Amino acid sequence: MQRLWRHARLATLVDGGWGLIEDGALVTEGEHIRWVGPLAALPASMEIGEEIGLDGALVMPGLVDCHTHLVYGGDRAAEAEMRLNGAGYEEIARAGGGIRSTVSATRAASEDALLHGARRRAQALMAGGVTTLEIKSGYGLSLEAEAKCLRVARRLGREVPVQVRTTYLGAHALPPEFEGRSDDYVDAVCHWMRALHAQGLVDAVDAFCESIAFSPVQVARVFEAARALDLPVKLHAEQLSDQGGAQLAASFGALSADHLEYLSDAGIAAMRAAGTVAVLLPGAYYMLRETRQPPVAALRAAGVPIAVASDHNPGTAPGLSLPLAAHMACTFFRLTPLEAVAGITHQAARALGLHDRGLLRAGLRADFAVWELNHPNELVYWFGHDPCRAVVQGAEVRT
Ligand code: DI6
Ligand code: FE
């Protein structure tokens, strides 16, 4: 059945602009968009089974959060308080804090408890217009616990009306039982990847390339294992130092390289040549009180596609609003509003290898968000409040 969505101001984002259409209409069929344009130009041949009036609201493509760590046990609020009271990172680690405390809490949590926490967080993101969500593992760090987290992500995609893409991030941190044996751990990560993939739990593979995490040589081994399984890769690269991670990722045709505060010119050139998307994560930059900014002007000049994501995680980015991340990308990193909005829609979809969403265009998925706004530039103007009236996913109203 074809459904007509009428009386909307559309921001289609097609052709590199806002693509504004006053008194616009969409015709959807099944889960897809069949026609987009001014209501006055609606072809008479369309057989409309149902009409939905949108009251002149702003309709934009559903938002895509292309980098989150949404599934974990516990939280790190006490650690954040210690940091704000002056404690250093080492002191916190000695007191049992840091990423390993999330790993213990995640291992100890039941699948249902993890699902409960992740569902609440997914609903918060959806209230800010999100219709597609990437979720990384990386707080289990054993075969069993990584599988548990990825199963939770898959269940979330079935039980909550948001589309979930899973990413296996076994190479996130070294678990305590592998202390001093990081190469052995990388072997295990590669080995587990085959088992997790065989269970249908993995859409992509990620790693954390950093002096405090895994070296480029170790990451290359993880990526070789992914390539052998035909899985796309992405990388946490150049967050705290320049490791040449972006070049490494590009050499494997990575979908994206993420963070990038310390990205070099050579990294930019390699990403450009490979078509690797630069995913900026201003929430982590903000929470860590970073001062070094990703080289946005150089990325722009090189024509590297730029996306923005929440990086939601309990340690460095506990935020749950993708429009706020886009706002911060403008304020801190000097993205233009149009770049930031593209960065949380079609460029973010591209960072997940998805080419069927992120724009309002015939043939693409009917995933859109309805906003109490006049112009899409307001999405990155207001902050602390996401005036999203509804999200529509696959042509069904979900909230
Ligand atoms: N980069 C980060 O900022 C987070 N993970 C990563 O690869 C930190 C995760 C945490 O502290 O729990
Ligand atoms: Fe991350």
Side-chain angles (χ1 to χ4, degrees), residues 194-235:
R194 287 184 275 279
L196 296 167
H197 180 53
Q199 294 169 52
L201 292 173
V202 183
D203 295 326
V205 172
D206 193 350
F208 188 17
C209 186
E210 196 53 69
S211 56
I212 56 163
F214 298 94
S215 71
V217 171
Q218 291 173 325
V219 171
R221 283 169 50 212
V222 174
F223 282 2
E224 292 288 0
R227 179 185 274 165
L229 297 170
D230 231 359
L231 285 169
V233 298
K234 20 206 327 111
L235 189 64

Short mmCIF file of all heavy atoms in Angstrom, two decimals, residues 194-235:
data_model
loop_
_atom_site.label_atom_id
_atom_site.label_comp_id
_atom_site.label_asym_id
_atom_site.label_seq_id
_atom_site.Cartn_x
_atom_site.Cartn_y
_atom_site.Cartn_z
N ARG A 194 36.14 -15.55 14.10
CA ARG A 194 35.54 -16.57 13.24
C ARG A 194 34.30 -17.18 13.88
O ARG A 194 33.27 -17.36 13.24
CB ARG A 194 36.58 -17.67 12.93
CG ARG A 194 37.65 -17.18 11.96
CD ARG A 194 38.63 -18.28 11.57
NE ARG A 194 39.73 -18.42 12.53
CZ ARG A 194 40.81 -17.64 12.55
NH1 ARG A 194 40.94 -16.66 11.68
NH2 ARG A 194 41.75 -17.83 13.44
N ALA A 195 34.40 -17.43 15.19
CA ALA A 195 33.25 -18.04 15.89
C ALA A 195 32.08 -17.06 15.95
O ALA A 195 30.92 -17.44 15.72
CB ALA A 195 33.68 -18.44 17.30
N LEU A 196 32.36 -15.81 16.23
CA LEU A 196 31.28 -14.81 16.34
C LEU A 196 30.63 -14.57 14.99
O LEU A 196 29.41 -14.44 14.87
CB LEU A 196 31.84 -13.50 16.91
CG LEU A 196 32.37 -13.62 18.35
CD1 LEU A 196 33.20 -12.39 18.71
CD2 LEU A 196 31.23 -13.80 19.34
N HIS A 197 31.46 -14.55 13.97
CA HIS A 197 30.94 -14.35 12.61
C HIS A 197 30.06 -15.53 12.21
O HIS A 197 28.98 -15.35 11.62
CB HIS A 197 32.10 -14.18 11.64
CG HIS A 197 31.67 -13.98 10.22
ND1 HIS A 197 30.76 -13.02 9.85
CD2 HIS A 197 32.00 -14.64 9.07
CE1 HIS A 197 30.56 -13.08 8.54
NE2 HIS A 197 31.29 -14.06 8.05
N ALA A 198 30.50 -16.73 12.57
CA ALA A 198 29.72 -17.93 12.24
C ALA A 198 28.35 -17.89 12.91
O ALA A 198 27.38 -18.48 12.42
CB ALA A 198 30.49 -19.19 12.65
N GLN A 199 28.25 -17.20 14.05
CA GLN A 199 26.95 -17.07 14.73
C GLN A 199 26.13 -15.89 14.19
O GLN A 199 25.09 -15.56 14.76
CB GLN A 199 27.17 -16.89 16.23
CG GLN A 199 27.79 -18.11 16.92
CD GLN A 199 28.22 -17.80 18.35
OE1 GLN A 199 27.45 -17.28 19.14
NE2 GLN A 199 29.48 -18.10 18.66
N GLY A 200 26.64 -15.25 13.16
CA GLY A 200 25.88 -14.15 12.55
C GLY A 200 25.85 -12.90 13.41
O GLY A 200 24.92 -12.10 13.32
N LEU A 201 26.89 -12.71 14.23
CA LEU A 201 26.85 -11.60 15.19
C LEU A 201 27.66 -10.38 14.75
O LEU A 201 27.66 -9.37 15.44
CB LEU A 201 27.38 -12.08 16.56
CG LEU A 201 26.48 -13.10 17.28
CD1 LEU A 201 27.18 -13.64 18.53
CD2 LEU A 201 25.14 -12.46 17.66
N VAL A 202 28.35 -10.47 13.62
CA VAL A 202 29.32 -9.42 13.27
C VAL A 202 29.03 -8.82 11.90
O VAL A 202 29.00 -9.53 10.90
CB VAL A 202 30.76 -10.00 13.27
CG1 VAL A 202 31.77 -8.90 12.98
CG2 VAL A 202 31.08 -10.67 14.59
N ASP A 203 28.83 -7.49 11.87
CA ASP A 203 28.69 -6.79 10.58
C ASP A 203 29.99 -6.11 10.16
O ASP A 203 30.18 -5.83 8.98
CB ASP A 203 27.58 -5.72 10.67
CG ASP A 203 26.21 -6.33 10.91
OD1 ASP A 203 25.94 -7.44 10.40
OD2 ASP A 203 25.40 -5.71 11.62
N ALA A 204 30.84 -5.77 11.13
CA ALA A 204 32.11 -5.11 10.83
C ALA A 204 33.07 -5.35 11.99
O ALA A 204 32.66 -5.82 13.06
CB ALA A 204 31.90 -3.60 10.63
N VAL A 205 34.35 -5.03 11.76
CA VAL A 205 35.39 -5.25 12.77
C VAL A 205 36.12 -3.94 13.02
O VAL A 205 36.44 -3.20 12.08
CB VAL A 205 36.38 -6.34 12.29
CG1 VAL A 205 37.57 -6.45 13.22
CG2 VAL A 205 35.66 -7.69 12.17
N ASP A 206 36.38 -3.65 14.29
CA ASP A 206 37.04 -2.41 14.69
C ASP A 206 38.19 -2.77 15.64
O ASP A 206 38.25 -3.89 16.17
CB ASP A 206 36.00 -1.53 15.41
CG ASP A 206 36.42 -0.08 15.62
OD1 ASP A 206 37.58 0.26 15.39
OD2 ASP A 206 35.55 0.71 16.05
N ALA A 207 39.11 -1.83 15.85
CA ALA A 207 40.18 -2.01 16.82
C ALA A 207 40.57 -0.63 17.34
O ALA A 207 40.22 0.39 16.74
CB ALA A 207 41.39 -2.68 16.17
N PHE A 208 41.27 -0.62 18.47
CA PHE A 208 41.75 0.63 19.06
C PHE A 208 43.25 0.66 18.86
O PHE A 208 43.99 -0.09 19.50
CB PHE A 208 41.37 0.67 20.55
CG PHE A 208 41.64 1.98 21.26
CD1 PHE A 208 41.85 3.17 20.58
CD2 PHE A 208 41.65 2.02 22.65
CE1 PHE A 208 42.08 4.36 21.25
CE2 PHE A 208 41.87 3.21 23.35
CZ PHE A 208 42.09 4.38 22.64
N CYS A 209 43.71 1.51 17.94
CA CYS A 209 45.13 1.59 17.61
C CYS A 209 45.72 2.76 18.40
O CYS A 209 45.48 3.92 18.07
CB CYS A 209 45.28 1.83 16.10
SG CYS A 209 46.98 1.76 15.54
N GLU A 210 46.45 2.45 19.45
CA GLU A 210 46.98 3.51 20.32
C GLU A 210 48.08 2.92 21.19
O GLU A 210 48.10 1.70 21.42
CB GLU A 210 45.82 4.03 21.20
CG GLU A 210 46.05 5.35 21.90
CD GLU A 210 46.47 6.47 20.95
OE1 GLU A 210 45.66 6.92 20.13
OE2 GLU A 210 47.66 6.87 21.06
N SER A 211 48.98 3.77 21.68
CA SER A 211 50.08 3.25 22.51
C SER A 211 49.54 2.56 23.77
O SER A 211 50.14 1.61 24.25
CB SER A 211 51.04 4.38 22.88
OG SER A 211 50.30 5.40 23.52
N ILE A 212 48.38 3.00 24.27
CA ILE A 212 47.81 2.35 25.45
C ILE A 212 46.90 1.18 25.07
O ILE A 212 46.30 0.56 25.94
CB ILE A 212 46.98 3.34 26.31
CG1 ILE A 212 45.88 4.00 25.47
CG2 ILE A 212 47.88 4.38 26.96
CD1 ILE A 212 44.79 4.66 26.30
N ALA A 213 46.80 0.89 23.77
CA ALA A 213 45.92 -0.22 23.34
C ALA A 213 46.72 -1.17 22.43
O ALA A 213 47.58 -1.90 22.93
CB ALA A 213 44.68 0.32 22.67
N PHE A 214 46.48 -1.15 21.11
CA PHE A 214 47.12 -2.10 20.22
C PHE A 214 47.94 -1.38 19.15
O PHE A 214 47.56 -0.31 18.68
CB PHE A 214 46.07 -3.02 19.59
CG PHE A 214 45.36 -3.83 20.66
CD1 PHE A 214 44.16 -3.37 21.20
CD2 PHE A 214 45.94 -4.98 21.19
CE1 PHE A 214 43.54 -4.06 22.23
CE2 PHE A 214 45.32 -5.67 22.22
CZ PHE A 214 44.12 -5.22 22.74
N SER A 215 49.08 -2.00 18.79
CA SER A 215 50.00 -1.38 17.83
C SER A 215 49.47 -1.57 16.41
O SER A 215 48.65 -2.46 16.15
CB SER A 215 51.37 -2.04 17.94
OG SER A 215 51.28 -3.37 17.42
N PRO A 216 49.98 -0.77 15.46
CA PRO A 216 49.57 -0.96 14.07
C PRO A 216 49.83 -2.39 13.58
O PRO A 216 49.02 -2.94 12.83
CB PRO A 216 50.43 0.06 13.31
CG PRO A 216 50.71 1.13 14.31
CD PRO A 216 50.83 0.43 15.64
N VAL A 217 50.93 -3.00 14.01
CA VAL A 217 51.22 -4.37 13.56
C VAL A 217 50.15 -5.33 14.09
O VAL A 217 49.67 -6.23 13.37
CB VAL A 217 52.63 -4.80 14.05
CG1 VAL A 217 52.88 -6.28 13.79
CG2 VAL A 217 53.69 -3.95 13.35
N GLN A 218 49.74 -5.13 15.34
CA GLN A 218 48.70 -5.99 15.91
C GLN A 218 47.34 -5.75 15.23
O GLN A 218 46.61 -6.69 14.93
CB GLN A 218 48.58 -5.74 17.42
CG GLN A 218 49.82 -6.24 18.17
CD GLN A 218 49.82 -5.85 19.64
OE1 GLN A 218 49.34 -4.76 20.00
NE2 GLN A 218 50.37 -6.72 20.47
N VAL A 219 47.05 -4.48 14.98
CA VAL A 219 45.78 -4.16 14.31
C VAL A 219 45.76 -4.78 12.92
O VAL A 219 44.72 -5.31 12.47
CB VAL A 219 45.57 -2.63 14.24
CG1 VAL A 219 44.37 -2.29 13.34
CG2 VAL A 219 45.38 -2.04 15.63
N ALA A 220 46.90 -4.76 12.22
CA ALA A 220 46.96 -5.34 10.87
C ALA A 220 46.59 -6.83 10.93
O ALA A 220 45.91 -7.35 10.04
CB ALA A 220 48.35 -5.15 10.27
N ARG A 221 46.99 -7.50 12.00
CA ARG A 221 46.63 -8.93 12.12
C ARG A 221 45.12 -9.09 12.30
O ARG A 221 44.51 -10.00 11.73
CB ARG A 221 47.40 -9.56 13.27
CG ARG A 221 48.84 -9.84 12.85
CD ARG A 221 49.72 -10.23 14.01
NE ARG A 221 49.14 -11.28 14.81
CZ ARG A 221 49.32 -11.40 16.12
NH1 ARG A 221 50.05 -10.52 16.78
NH2 ARG A 221 48.77 -12.39 16.77
N VAL A 222 44.53 -8.22 13.09
CA VAL A 222 43.07 -8.27 13.27
C VAL A 222 42.38 -8.02 11.91
O VAL A 222 41.42 -8.70 11.54
CB VAL A 222 42.62 -7.22 14.32
CG1 VAL A 222 41.09 -7.16 14.41
CG2 VAL A 222 43.22 -7.55 15.69
N PHE A 223 42.89 -7.04 11.18
CA PHE A 223 42.28 -6.70 9.89
C PHE A 223 42.46 -7.82 8.86
O PHE A 223 41.59 -8.04 8.01
CB PHE A 223 42.86 -5.39 9.36
CG PHE A 223 42.30 -4.15 10.03
CD1 PHE A 223 41.37 -4.24 11.07
CD2 PHE A 223 42.70 -2.88 9.61
CE1 PHE A 223 40.86 -3.09 11.67
CE2 PHE A 223 42.19 -1.73 10.21
CZ PHE A 223 41.28 -1.84 11.24
N GLU A 224 43.61 -8.51 8.91
CA GLU A 224 43.80 -9.66 8.00
C GLU A 224 42.74 -10.73 8.28
O GLU A 224 42.18 -11.32 7.35
CB GLU A 224 45.19 -10.30 8.20
CG GLU A 224 46.38 -9.45 7.76
CD GLU A 224 46.51 -9.32 6.25
OE1 GLU A 224 45.68 -9.90 5.52
OE2 GLU A 224 47.43 -8.61 5.83
N ALA A 225 42.49 -10.95 9.56
CA ALA A 225 41.47 -11.95 9.93
C ALA A 225 40.10 -11.52 9.42
O ALA A 225 39.31 -12.34 8.93
CB ALA A 225 41.45 -12.15 11.44
N ALA A 226 39.81 -10.22 9.51
CA ALA A 226 38.53 -9.71 9.01
C ALA A 226 38.44 -9.88 7.50
O ALA A 226 37.40 -10.29 6.96
CB ALA A 226 38.37 -8.24 9.39
N ARG A 227 39.53 -9.58 6.83
CA ARG A 227 39.54 -9.69 5.37
C ARG A 227 39.28 -11.14 4.94
O ARG A 227 38.54 -11.39 3.99
CB ARG A 227 40.89 -9.21 4.84
CG ARG A 227 41.01 -9.29 3.35
CD ARG A 227 42.40 -8.93 2.89
NE ARG A 227 42.56 -7.49 2.71
CZ ARG A 227 43.73 -6.87 2.59
NH1 ARG A 227 44.86 -7.57 2.68
NH2 ARG A 227 43.80 -5.58 2.40
N ALA A 228 39.87 -12.07 5.68
CA ALA A 228 39.68 -13.49 5.33
C ALA A 228 38.21 -13.88 5.45
O ALA A 228 37.76 -14.83 4.80
CB ALA A 228 40.55 -14.36 6.24
N LEU A 229 37.46 -13.16 6.29
CA LEU A 229 36.02 -13.46 6.46
C LEU A 229 35.15 -12.50 5.63
O LEU A 229 33.94 -12.52 5.75
CB LEU A 229 35.64 -13.35 7.94
CG LEU A 229 36.33 -14.34 8.88
CD1 LEU A 229 36.05 -13.97 10.34
CD2 LEU A 229 35.86 -15.76 8.59
N ASP A 230 35.82 -11.63 4.85
CA ASP A 230 35.08 -10.67 4.03
C ASP A 230 34.30 -9.66 4.86
O ASP A 230 33.24 -9.20 4.45
CB ASP A 230 34.10 -11.44 3.12
CG ASP A 230 34.26 -11.01 1.68
OD1 ASP A 230 35.10 -10.13 1.44
OD2 ASP A 230 33.52 -11.54 0.82
N LEU A 231 34.82 -9.35 6.03
CA LEU A 231 34.14 -8.39 6.90
C LEU A 231 34.78 -7.01 6.73
O LEU A 231 36.01 -6.89 6.72
CB LEU A 231 34.27 -8.81 8.37
CG LEU A 231 33.38 -9.97 8.80
CD1 LEU A 231 33.80 -10.47 10.18
CD2 LEU A 231 31.91 -9.55 8.81
N PRO A 232 33.98 -5.95 6.61
CA PRO A 232 34.56 -4.61 6.52
C PRO A 232 35.19 -4.17 7.85
O PRO A 232 34.79 -4.66 8.91
CB PRO A 232 33.36 -3.72 6.17
CG PRO A 232 32.16 -4.49 6.60
CD PRO A 232 32.51 -5.94 6.56
N VAL A 233 36.17 -3.27 7.75
CA VAL A 233 36.85 -2.82 8.97
C VAL A 233 36.71 -1.32 9.16
O VAL A 233 36.41 -0.58 8.22
CB VAL A 233 38.36 -3.20 8.95
CG1 VAL A 233 38.52 -4.71 8.90
CG2 VAL A 233 39.10 -2.54 7.79
N LYS A 234 36.90 -0.90 10.41
CA LYS A 234 36.96 0.51 10.80
C LYS A 234 37.99 0.60 11.92
O LYS A 234 38.40 -0.42 12.45
CB LYS A 234 35.61 1.07 11.25
CG LYS A 234 34.63 0.06 11.66
CD LYS A 234 33.16 0.32 11.58
CE LYS A 234 32.69 1.70 11.81
NZ LYS A 234 32.18 2.34 10.62
N LEU A 235 38.41 1.80 12.27
CA LEU A 235 39.48 1.89 13.27
C LEU A 235 39.35 3.11 14.16
O LEU A 235 39.06 4.21 13.68
CB LEU A 235 40.84 1.92 12.56
CG LEU A 235 42.08 1.80 13.46
CD1 LEU A 235 42.13 0.45 14.17
CD2 LEU A 235 43.37 2.00 12.65
#
